[in-house]
Amino acid sequence: MKSRFHLRILWPFVLILVVSLVALILLFPLVQNSVSQHALETGGEANYLPIFSLVFLILAIGLLVGLLINIYYTNQHLTTLEDLTFAAQELGEGRFREIRIPEDVGNMPEMQDLANALQKTACQTEEQFNALNKEQAMLSAVLDNMTDGVLIADDNGKVQLLNEAAERLFKIESEQAIGRSVVEIMRHYSLVELWEKTKNGNPETITMEMGSAHKYLQVIGINLEKDLPGRTMLLFQDLTQTHQLEVIRRDFVSNISHELRTPIASLKALSETLLDGALDDPPAARKFLVRMDSEVDNLIQMVNELLELSRIEAGRSHFEFQRSKPCEIINNAFERMSLQAEKAGVMLTKDCPQGLPQVNADPTRISQVFVNLIHNAIKFTQKGGSIHLTAWQEGNTVVFMVQDNGAGIAKKDLKRIFERFYKADQARSGGGTGLGLSISKHIIDAHGGQIWAESEGKTGSKFFFTIPAAVV
Amino acid sequence: MSRFTLDQEIRLVQDEILLLGSLVEQAILNSVDALQRRDANAAEEVYSNDRKINAKHYAIENHILITLATQSPLAGDLRFLAAMLEVNTELERIGDYAKGIAKVAMRLADSEYPIPIREIQQMADLATSMLHRALGAFVAGDIVAAYSIPEEDNKVDELYESTYRKIVEGMINNPDTIELGNQVVWVIHNLERTADRVTNICERIVFIVSGESVEFDVSDDENRDE
């Protein structure tokens, strides 16, 4: 630092000097007179010792006064400096609100300037700090609320940042992850490969399936070299749902082709046999035609169900809601299906408690749901088994149940059986279009109810659906 | 040799083990996926990828031996490196199981044999999830997980038993399927063995943390498939 000389600090000395000089000038003649007089009176030599003593005394008093003044001012300066240092420390530690800068520092312009400068710095720093805080809060809010996972790593492969979505994806808390290697956190070779490529300046985008959780991810590598040297960012987009939809669509197309192919192939075989000469054998020809007729019926039913499903899905299906009695719905379904159950050797029973509230429903559609459920139950129940229909009230809804003691449904299939063409038992290729439950679900949805299935392994299944009670 | 170098080497080996683990895990899942989709090409890919797994296995073995020779680790470090040597071998064997499943998938690709794919997928998910968590516990020295993960092996065993019975029933009802059914038995067998190997890894975790050699109660005998 350049040293400067402040003349102002000389003024106590000047003061002392001036006072001393004035005192000397004033007192000197008096003392000299008295010395001369004393010499004259005693006739001895003039004794100048008192003069010297006086001069020393005055100088000593001057020095003492100067020292006192000095002590006073130095103390004042030091106190102010201490306050300012303390304030500067507070500032350094970011406690802006607690800073107390002495407003009046007495007659010390330099100290006043320093205090003012400190005050200004504190204000500005607080403003900047708040602005930064706000910006950071905004950024972390964006980071933590985005659905995509973000991971930033340094060039040694140590994780530097992990947002909440990434925490969920890798099942680890950000605090535990930071500083650990990307391999340890991501635990997948494709991701580590992507990170290495991105780090080396060849960012890529990959899609991958992760582990036994079967998460489908699109991962984008971004090299942050420009803004944050050495840093690499990976962006994880969860496409599991999209992928599932894609799988359902693919299954749908492959199923529908398969389902259509079977009756068409039979038709083709039967018609070929007829053309090859079976026509000349009227009894055989008739048998073939009957089978062809039933295959065509199958096809018609499937196409109708498909059309129905697409109509319901598109919301173009017409429902005629009316107040209906739950027991009438059950009786109706029971009568329609009892013959079929009898043929299959399955006992169909029903009970319907008295006093159930009326429901707001389209009876034809609900009966269709019942028929679908009973039809399924018959299909998966062996000869000698039983199927039971019942209903009860629960709050503002009426719950209907179809219970069987048939093959049951595996737990993991329970959720998927309402998908189009989903068949829990893939080995069972024949029988049914695989659309019944899907249509039932849509019908119940349109009624504002719910449909679900429960099954305890091989002891049978229970299908439930609810319909809201009609408002009285 | 400095402590720093040893730590760094151990961490590098650890990362390599985790990478090999993820390769093996994915190989099992991919082989089962190829089986489900009856996709011979995908199965072929898993089959040939086993070479990558083997190469990685040897590289890790080399790395560990060099570290042992040059750093002279002691106590916990020595146990950790020795355990990694063993885990490395376990992982390589699981890789072989995946290869075995891929081989069956190639054979079954053109057949109509009704594969009990749900059960197989469930077994694969369970076994790979166990493997994933066991390796995580391995690097973290998580002894609680080391004791709890092997318990899940029972679920895999149960699935193995029920699926095995299902396949055998199919063979009895339709003797034409005996050959392909037998192949599928190999698949579930490999998955069941995978879970057993995971329990071996868990035994190693206990060894690293406590220095004790424990034997988790695995319901089958170790010599069954070798």
Side-chain angles (χ1 to χ4, degrees), chain A residues 289-314:
Chain A
L289 279 173
V290 169
R291 281 185 57 193
M292 285 174 81
D293 191 53
S294 97
E295 291 292 355
V296 171
D297 278 348
N298 269 346
L299 270 177
I300 290 172
Q301 190 203 346
M302 193 155 79
V303 171
N304 280 345
E305 283 184 358
L306 265 177
L307 283 174
E308 173 75 12
L309 187 63
S310 69
R311 262 203 302 269
I312 299 177
E313 277 184 345

PDB file of all heavy atoms in Angstrom, chain A residues 289-314:
ATOM      1  N   LEU A 289     -71.190 -77.014 -43.750  1.00  0.00           N
ATOM      2  CA  LEU A 289     -71.825 -75.687 -43.799  1.00  0.00           C
ATOM      3  C   LEU A 289     -72.199 -75.198 -42.401  1.00  0.00           C
ATOM      4  O   LEU A 289     -72.065 -74.023 -42.094  1.00  0.00           O
ATOM      5  CB  LEU A 289     -73.059 -75.737 -44.698  1.00  0.00           C
ATOM      6  CG  LEU A 289     -72.721 -75.624 -46.180  1.00  0.00           C
ATOM      7  CD1 LEU A 289     -73.971 -75.853 -47.026  1.00  0.00           C
ATOM      8  CD2 LEU A 289     -72.127 -74.248 -46.487  1.00  0.00           C
ATOM      9  N   VAL A 290     -72.677 -76.169 -41.565  1.00  0.00           N
ATOM     10  CA  VAL A 290     -73.029 -75.791 -40.194  1.00  0.00           C
ATOM     11  C   VAL A 290     -71.788 -75.242 -39.473  1.00  0.00           C
ATOM     12  O   VAL A 290     -71.842 -74.216 -38.807  1.00  0.00           O
ATOM     13  CB  VAL A 290     -73.624 -77.005 -39.428  1.00  0.00           C
ATOM     14  CG1 VAL A 290     -73.723 -76.691 -37.936  1.00  0.00           C
ATOM     15  CG2 VAL A 290     -74.993 -77.344 -39.992  1.00  0.00           C
ATOM     16  N   ARG A 291     -70.656 -75.941 -39.688  1.00  0.00           N
ATOM     17  CA  ARG A 291     -69.433 -75.470 -39.036  1.00  0.00           C
ATOM     18  C   ARG A 291     -69.006 -74.113 -39.590  1.00  0.00           C
ATOM     19  O   ARG A 291     -68.536 -73.236 -38.850  1.00  0.00           O
ATOM     20  CB  ARG A 291     -68.307 -76.494 -39.214  1.00  0.00           C
ATOM     21  CG  ARG A 291     -68.456 -77.644 -38.231  1.00  0.00           C
ATOM     22  CD  ARG A 291     -67.304 -78.602 -38.298  1.00  0.00           C
ATOM     23  NE  ARG A 291     -66.018 -77.971 -38.058  1.00  0.00           N
ATOM     24  CZ  ARG A 291     -64.859 -78.566 -38.321  1.00  0.00           C
ATOM     25  NH1 ARG A 291     -64.844 -79.777 -38.840  1.00  0.00           N
ATOM     26  NH2 ARG A 291     -63.726 -77.951 -38.069  1.00  0.00           N
ATOM     27  N   MET A 292     -69.153 -73.968 -40.900  1.00  0.00           N
ATOM     28  CA  MET A 292     -68.802 -72.672 -41.505  1.00  0.00           C
ATOM     29  C   MET A 292     -69.662 -71.565 -40.925  1.00  0.00           C
ATOM     30  O   MET A 292     -69.183 -70.485 -40.600  1.00  0.00           O
ATOM     31  CB  MET A 292     -68.976 -72.722 -43.027  1.00  0.00           C
ATOM     32  CG  MET A 292     -67.865 -73.494 -43.717  1.00  0.00           C
ATOM     33  SD  MET A 292     -68.176 -73.694 -45.476  1.00  0.00           S
ATOM     34  CE  MET A 292     -67.652 -72.127 -46.100  1.00  0.00           C
ATOM     35  N   ASP A 293     -70.937 -71.918 -40.760  1.00  0.00           N
ATOM     36  CA  ASP A 293     -71.866 -70.932 -40.219  1.00  0.00           C
ATOM     37  C   ASP A 293     -71.423 -70.506 -38.814  1.00  0.00           C
ATOM     38  O   ASP A 293     -71.446 -69.316 -38.487  1.00  0.00           O
ATOM     39  CB  ASP A 293     -73.267 -71.554 -40.173  1.00  0.00           C
ATOM     40  CG  ASP A 293     -74.310 -70.501 -39.874  1.00  0.00           C
ATOM     41  OD1 ASP A 293     -74.319 -69.490 -40.604  1.00  0.00           O
ATOM     42  OD2 ASP A 293     -75.064 -70.668 -38.900  1.00  0.00           O
ATOM     43  N   SER A 294     -71.002 -71.501 -38.018  1.00  0.00           N
ATOM     44  CA  SER A 294     -70.632 -71.136 -36.646  1.00  0.00           C
ATOM     45  C   SER A 294     -69.331 -70.337 -36.638  1.00  0.00           C
ATOM     46  O   SER A 294     -69.141 -69.436 -35.812  1.00  0.00           O
ATOM     47  CB  SER A 294     -70.577 -72.381 -35.758  1.00  0.00           C
ATOM     48  OG  SER A 294     -69.263 -72.855 -35.645  1.00  0.00           O
ATOM     49  N   GLU A 295     -68.424 -70.659 -37.581  1.00  0.00           N
ATOM     50  CA  GLU A 295     -67.182 -69.864 -37.661  1.00  0.00           C
ATOM     51  C   GLU A 295     -67.506 -68.422 -38.043  1.00  0.00           C
ATOM     52  O   GLU A 295     -66.921 -67.477 -37.507  1.00  0.00           O
ATOM     53  CB  GLU A 295     -66.208 -70.461 -38.692  1.00  0.00           C
ATOM     54  CG  GLU A 295     -65.597 -71.800 -38.294  1.00  0.00           C
ATOM     55  CD  GLU A 295     -64.641 -71.709 -37.108  1.00  0.00           C
ATOM     56  OE1 GLU A 295     -64.374 -70.585 -36.639  1.00  0.00           O
ATOM     57  OE2 GLU A 295     -64.196 -72.774 -36.626  1.00  0.00           O
ATOM     58  N   VAL A 296     -68.438 -68.288 -39.001  1.00  0.00           N
ATOM     59  CA  VAL A 296     -68.814 -66.929 -39.413  1.00  0.00           C
ATOM     60  C   VAL A 296     -69.453 -66.184 -38.231  1.00  0.00           C
ATOM     61  O   VAL A 296     -69.182 -65.008 -38.009  1.00  0.00           O
ATOM     62  CB  VAL A 296     -69.762 -66.969 -40.634  1.00  0.00           C
ATOM     63  CG1 VAL A 296     -70.324 -65.578 -40.922  1.00  0.00           C
ATOM     64  CG2 VAL A 296     -69.017 -67.484 -41.850  1.00  0.00           C
ATOM     65  N   ASP A 297     -70.273 -66.939 -37.445  1.00  0.00           N
ATOM     66  CA  ASP A 297     -70.864 -66.330 -36.243  1.00  0.00           C
ATOM     67  C   ASP A 297     -69.773 -65.795 -35.312  1.00  0.00           C
ATOM     68  O   ASP A 297     -69.870 -64.687 -34.789  1.00  0.00           O
ATOM     69  CB  ASP A 297     -71.721 -67.358 -35.488  1.00  0.00           C
ATOM     70  CG  ASP A 297     -73.086 -67.470 -36.105  1.00  0.00           C
ATOM     71  OD1 ASP A 297     -73.409 -66.593 -36.939  1.00  0.00           O
ATOM     72  OD2 ASP A 297     -73.820 -68.425 -35.781  1.00  0.00           O
ATOM     73  N   ASN A 298     -68.743 -66.651 -35.145  1.00  0.00           N
ATOM     74  CA  ASN A 298     -67.615 -66.232 -34.304  1.00  0.00           C
ATOM     75  C   ASN A 298     -67.004 -64.936 -34.809  1.00  0.00           C
ATOM     76  O   ASN A 298     -66.726 -64.008 -34.047  1.00  0.00           O
ATOM     77  CB  ASN A 298     -66.516 -67.303 -34.314  1.00  0.00           C
ATOM     78  CG  ASN A 298     -66.716 -68.294 -33.198  1.00  0.00           C
ATOM     79  OD1 ASN A 298     -67.503 -68.035 -32.294  1.00  0.00           O
ATOM     80  ND2 ASN A 298     -66.027 -69.421 -33.268  1.00  0.00           N
ATOM     81  N   LEU A 299     -66.777 -64.928 -36.129  1.00  0.00           N
ATOM     82  CA  LEU A 299     -66.166 -63.738 -36.742  1.00  0.00           C
ATOM     83  C   LEU A 299     -67.033 -62.510 -36.535  1.00  0.00           C
ATOM     84  O   LEU A 299     -66.548 -61.442 -36.169  1.00  0.00           O
ATOM     85  CB  LEU A 299     -65.968 -63.968 -38.241  1.00  0.00           C
ATOM     86  CG  LEU A 299     -64.646 -64.590 -38.667  1.00  0.00           C
ATOM     87  CD1 LEU A 299     -64.640 -64.827 -40.162  1.00  0.00           C
ATOM     88  CD2 LEU A 299     -63.483 -63.663 -38.304  1.00  0.00           C
ATOM     89  N   ILE A 300     -68.352 -62.721 -36.749  1.00  0.00           N
ATOM     90  CA  ILE A 300     -69.276 -61.592 -36.611  1.00  0.00           C
ATOM     91  C   ILE A 300     -69.242 -61.073 -35.166  1.00  0.00           C
ATOM     92  O   ILE A 300     -69.164 -59.872 -34.922  1.00  0.00           O
ATOM     93  CB  ILE A 300     -70.712 -61.997 -37.005  1.00  0.00           C
ATOM     94  CG1 ILE A 300     -70.766 -62.228 -38.511  1.00  0.00           C
ATOM     95  CG2 ILE A 300     -71.714 -60.924 -36.597  1.00  0.00           C
ATOM     96  CD1 ILE A 300     -72.072 -62.817 -39.004  1.00  0.00           C
ATOM     97  N   GLN A 301     -69.259 -62.035 -34.229  1.00  0.00           N
ATOM     98  CA  GLN A 301     -69.257 -61.618 -32.824  1.00  0.00           C
ATOM     99  C   GLN A 301     -68.003 -60.797 -32.526  1.00  0.00           C
ATOM    100  O   GLN A 301     -68.057 -59.758 -31.867  1.00  0.00           O
ATOM    101  CB  GLN A 301     -69.313 -62.848 -31.911  1.00  0.00           C
ATOM    102  CG  GLN A 301     -69.567 -62.456 -30.455  1.00  0.00           C
ATOM    103  CD  GLN A 301     -69.092 -63.524 -29.488  1.00  0.00           C
ATOM    104  OE1 GLN A 301     -68.812 -64.657 -29.882  1.00  0.00           O
ATOM    105  NE2 GLN A 301     -69.000 -63.153 -28.215  1.00  0.00           N
ATOM    106  N   MET A 302     -66.863 -61.288 -33.057  1.00  0.00           N
ATOM    107  CA  MET A 302     -65.619 -60.588 -32.757  1.00  0.00           C
ATOM    108  C   MET A 302     -65.607 -59.184 -33.367  1.00  0.00           C
ATOM    109  O   MET A 302     -65.231 -58.213 -32.704  1.00  0.00           O
ATOM    110  CB  MET A 302     -64.429 -61.388 -33.271  1.00  0.00           C
ATOM    111  CG  MET A 302     -63.145 -60.876 -32.718  1.00  0.00           C
ATOM    112  SD  MET A 302     -61.938 -62.149 -32.709  1.00  0.00           S
ATOM    113  CE  MET A 302     -61.483 -62.082 -34.383  1.00  0.00           C
ATOM    114  N   VAL A 303     -66.042 -59.117 -34.628  1.00  0.00           N
ATOM    115  CA  VAL A 303     -66.049 -57.803 -35.287  1.00  0.00           C
ATOM    116  C   VAL A 303     -67.006 -56.864 -34.565  1.00  0.00           C
ATOM    117  O   VAL A 303     -66.697 -55.696 -34.322  1.00  0.00           O
ATOM    118  CB  VAL A 303     -66.416 -57.946 -36.780  1.00  0.00           C
ATOM    119  CG1 VAL A 303     -66.632 -56.584 -37.410  1.00  0.00           C
ATOM    120  CG2 VAL A 303     -65.338 -58.710 -37.513  1.00  0.00           C
ATOM    121  N   ASN A 304     -68.168 -57.415 -34.140  1.00  0.00           N
ATOM    122  CA  ASN A 304     -69.124 -56.585 -33.398  1.00  0.00           C
ATOM    123  C   ASN A 304     -68.533 -56.079 -32.093  1.00  0.00           C
ATOM    124  O   ASN A 304     -68.676 -54.914 -31.740  1.00  0.00           O
ATOM    125  CB  ASN A 304     -70.399 -57.386 -33.098  1.00  0.00           C
ATOM    126  CG  ASN A 304     -71.302 -57.423 -34.305  1.00  0.00           C
ATOM    127  OD1 ASN A 304     -71.110 -56.627 -35.243  1.00  0.00           O
ATOM    128  ND2 ASN A 304     -72.253 -58.340 -34.327  1.00  0.00           N
ATOM    129  N   GLU A 305     -67.869 -57.007 -31.388  1.00  0.00           N
ATOM    130  CA  GLU A 305     -67.263 -56.610 -30.112  1.00  0.00           C
ATOM    131  C   GLU A 305     -66.203 -55.546 -30.314  1.00  0.00           C
ATOM    132  O   GLU A 305     -66.097 -54.592 -29.555  1.00  0.00           O
ATOM    133  CB  GLU A 305     -66.667 -57.835 -29.397  1.00  0.00           C
ATOM    134  CG  GLU A 305     -67.727 -58.686 -28.738  1.00  0.00           C
ATOM    135  CD  GLU A 305     -67.137 -59.840 -27.944  1.00  0.00           C
ATOM    136  OE1 GLU A 305     -65.901 -59.990 -27.937  1.00  0.00           O
ATOM    137  OE2 GLU A 305     -67.927 -60.589 -27.349  1.00  0.00           O
ATOM    138  N   LEU A 306     -65.416 -55.726 -31.378  1.00  0.00           N
ATOM    139  CA  LEU A 306     -64.370 -54.739 -31.684  1.00  0.00           C
ATOM    140  C   LEU A 306     -64.978 -53.383 -31.965  1.00  0.00           C
ATOM    141  O   LEU A 306     -64.509 -52.353 -31.470  1.00  0.00           O
ATOM    142  CB  LEU A 306     -63.557 -55.189 -32.894  1.00  0.00           C
ATOM    143  CG  LEU A 306     -62.272 -55.957 -32.615  1.00  0.00           C
ATOM    144  CD1 LEU A 306     -61.642 -56.394 -33.911  1.00  0.00           C
ATOM    145  CD2 LEU A 306     -61.284 -55.076 -31.844  1.00  0.00           C
ATOM    146  N   LEU A 307     -66.051 -53.407 -32.782  1.00  0.00           N
ATOM    147  CA  LEU A 307     -66.721 -52.145 -33.127  1.00  0.00           C
ATOM    148  C   LEU A 307     -67.288 -51.495 -31.877  1.00  0.00           C
ATOM    149  O   LEU A 307     -67.136 -50.292 -31.652  1.00  0.00           O
ATOM    150  CB  LEU A 307     -67.841 -52.400 -34.129  1.00  0.00           C
ATOM    151  CG  LEU A 307     -67.384 -52.641 -35.565  1.00  0.00           C
ATOM    152  CD1 LEU A 307     -68.569 -53.018 -36.443  1.00  0.00           C
ATOM    153  CD2 LEU A 307     -66.701 -51.396 -36.120  1.00  0.00           C
ATOM    154  N   GLU A 308     -67.916 -52.357 -31.054  1.00  0.00           N
ATOM    155  CA  GLU A 308     -68.516 -51.886 -29.813  1.00  0.00           C
ATOM    156  C   GLU A 308     -67.448 -51.229 -28.926  1.00  0.00           C
ATOM    157  O   GLU A 308     -67.625 -50.128 -28.413  1.00  0.00           O
ATOM    158  CB  GLU A 308     -69.130 -53.103 -29.103  1.00  0.00           C
ATOM    159  CG  GLU A 308     -69.651 -52.848 -27.712  1.00  0.00           C
ATOM    160  CD  GLU A 308     -70.954 -52.104 -27.719  1.00  0.00           C
ATOM    161  OE1 GLU A 308     -71.547 -52.010 -28.815  1.00  0.00           O
ATOM    162  OE2 GLU A 308     -71.367 -51.604 -26.658  1.00  0.00           O
ATOM    163  N   LEU A 309     -66.321 -51.942 -28.835  1.00  0.00           N
ATOM    164  CA  LEU A 309     -65.237 -51.444 -27.986  1.00  0.00           C
ATOM    165  C   LEU A 309     -64.732 -50.099 -28.489  1.00  0.00           C
ATOM    166  O   LEU A 309     -64.547 -49.156 -27.722  1.00  0.00           O
ATOM    167  CB  LEU A 309     -64.099 -52.470 -27.973  1.00  0.00           C
ATOM    168  CG  LEU A 309     -62.962 -52.181 -27.014  1.00  0.00           C
ATOM    169  CD1 LEU A 309     -63.465 -52.194 -25.591  1.00  0.00           C
ATOM    170  CD2 LEU A 309     -61.862 -53.231 -27.171  1.00  0.00           C
ATOM    171  N   SER A 310     -64.539 -50.011 -29.805  1.00  0.00           N
ATOM    172  CA  SER A 310     -63.989 -48.753 -30.324  1.00  0.00           C
ATOM    173  C   SER A 310     -65.012 -47.635 -30.171  1.00  0.00           C
ATOM    174  O   SER A 310     -64.657 -46.488 -29.933  1.00  0.00           O
ATOM    175  CB  SER A 310     -63.530 -48.904 -31.775  1.00  0.00           C
ATOM    176  OG  SER A 310     -64.635 -49.060 -32.598  1.00  0.00           O
ATOM    177  N   ARG A 311     -66.325 -48.002 -30.278  1.00  0.00           N
ATOM    178  CA  ARG A 311     -67.368 -46.981 -30.067  1.00  0.00           C
ATOM    179  C   ARG A 311     -67.346 -46.480 -28.631  1.00  0.00           C
ATOM    180  O   ARG A 311     -67.360 -45.291 -28.373  1.00  0.00           O
ATOM    181  CB  ARG A 311     -68.744 -47.573 -30.393  1.00  0.00           C
ATOM    182  CG  ARG A 311     -69.243 -47.230 -31.789  1.00  0.00           C
ATOM    183  CD  ARG A 311     -70.767 -47.346 -31.853  1.00  0.00           C
ATOM    184  NE  ARG A 311     -71.230 -48.678 -31.491  1.00  0.00           N
ATOM    185  CZ  ARG A 311     -71.423 -49.672 -32.364  1.00  0.00           C
ATOM    186  NH1 ARG A 311     -71.185 -49.480 -33.643  1.00  0.00           N
ATOM    187  NH2 ARG A 311     -71.846 -50.853 -31.951  1.00  0.00           N
ATOM    188  N   ILE A 312     -67.280 -47.461 -27.698  1.00  0.00           N
ATOM    189  CA  ILE A 312     -67.291 -47.056 -26.279  1.00  0.00           C
ATOM    190  C   ILE A 312     -66.048 -46.229 -25.976  1.00  0.00           C
ATOM    191  O   ILE A 312     -66.103 -45.202 -25.305  1.00  0.00           O
ATOM    192  CB  ILE A 312     -67.345 -48.282 -25.347  1.00  0.00           C
ATOM    193  CG1 ILE A 312     -68.614 -49.080 -25.607  1.00  0.00           C
ATOM    194  CG2 ILE A 312     -67.315 -47.844 -23.891  1.00  0.00           C
ATOM    195  CD1 ILE A 312     -68.715 -50.352 -24.781  1.00  0.00           C
ATOM    196  N   GLU A 313     -64.906 -46.692 -26.497  1.00  0.00           N
ATOM    197  CA  GLU A 313     -63.653 -45.980 -26.219  1.00  0.00           C
ATOM    198  C   GLU A 313     -63.687 -44.565 -26.767  1.00  0.00           C
ATOM    199  O   GLU A 313     -63.129 -43.648 -26.196  1.00  0.00           O
ATOM    200  CB  GLU A 313     -62.468 -46.748 -26.813  1.00  0.00           C
ATOM    201  CG  GLU A 313     -62.015 -47.856 -25.904  1.00  0.00           C
ATOM    202  CD  GLU A 313     -60.778 -48.557 -26.432  1.00  0.00           C
ATOM    203  OE1 GLU A 313     -60.434 -48.386 -27.613  1.00  0.00           O
ATOM    204  OE2 GLU A 313     -60.161 -49.268 -25.644  1.00  0.00           O
ATOM    205  N   ALA A 314     -64.326 -44.413 -27.899  1.00  0.00           N
ATOM    206  CA  ALA A 314     -64.372 -43.078 -28.511  1.00  0.00           C
ATOM    207  C   ALA A 314     -65.477 -42.245 -27.884  1.00  0.00           C
ATOM    208  O   ALA A 314     -65.676 -41.094 -28.248  1.00  0.00           O
ATOM    209  CB  ALA A 314     -64.585 -43.207 -30.012  1.00  0.00           C
TER     210      ALA A 314
END
